[in-house]
Amino acid sequence: MERDIRGAAMVGQLTEVSPWEAELILNLRLWQDGVRGQDHVWNSYARVFGPQEGRAQLDVFEQLLWVIEANMIRPLVRHGVACRCIGSDEAVFANMVRFASDGELHEASLIATLMVRPAHAEHVALLAGEVGTATRELARGHNAARDGLKNAPFTMH
């Protein structure tokens, strides 16, 4: 039980990280929340990347989570979807993805060993790099869509 508490310890706020890192953490929460959350993540990928590329990008995200789950040292603890806090396990996940997508695969592999057995850390880091790149594009796509809505002429009928 004590490990679970440490994994949930608040280490920050979603407003304190970049938009793409907040998107990543929210997608992790949604995905682990079940079918409705997974549908939300899928719709997000499909809107930004289109159905075919969205499916390919989502497959990598799903594979990353599957490899972590299949080889984890202990279950990852996450906060609720609506929570503004970042838990320590979520921060470890986001930092690993950030390092990997910045090309720092050695550092990402070391961080991955906090979640998975060392034999799987490099594979996790490689997947995390792809996920990070896609999530950055996903966040940019959402920001562009929001900006477009702000500037769109609306009419009342």
Side-chain angles (χ1 to χ4, degrees), residues 12-123:
Q13 299 284 323
L14 288 173
T15 56
E16 298 171 341
V17 297
S18 67
W20 79 267
E21 288 172 303
E23 177 100 21
L24 176 70
I25 292 167
L26 290 172
N27 284 345
L28 173 66
R29 291 174 181 179
L30 285 162
W31 195 262
Q32 291 180 327
D33 212 33
V35 175
R36 289 186 69 201
Q38 291 169 7
D39 286 346
H40 183 81
V41 175
W42 157 247
N43 288 331
S44 190
Y45 273 79
R47 266 193 309 277
V48 172
F49 294 109
Q52 189 172 359
E53 180 63 21
R55 182 73 246 172
Q57 295 294 341
L58 185 62
D59 284 347
V60 177
F61 179 74
E62 189 174 24
Q63 185 178 6
L64 172 63
L65 297 182
W66 182 86
V67 171
I68 290 172
E69 186 175 316
N71 299 288
M72 63 189 167
I73 296 168
R74 65 169 174 77
L76 295 181
V77 180
R78 65 175 176 84
H79 284 229
V81 173
C83 183
R84 295 176 185 216
C85 299
I86 298 173
S88 56
D89 281 356
E90 294 168 332
V92 166
F93 180 76
N95 279 315
M96 178 199 57
V97 171
R98 182 173 34 84
F99 274 102
S101 62
D102 285 344
E104 304 288 341
L105 292 175
H106 178 71
E107 287 77 5
S109 292
L110 290 173
I111 294 168
T113 63
L114 298 171
M115 296 180 287
V116 298
R117 293 186 290 279
H120 303 280
E122 188 174 320
H123 184 216

Side-chain angles (χ1 to χ4, degrees), residues 124-138:
V124 167
L126 289 170
L127 291 169
E130 291 182 56
V131 167
T133 300
T135 306
R136 289 173 197 244
E137 290 179 41
L138 197 59

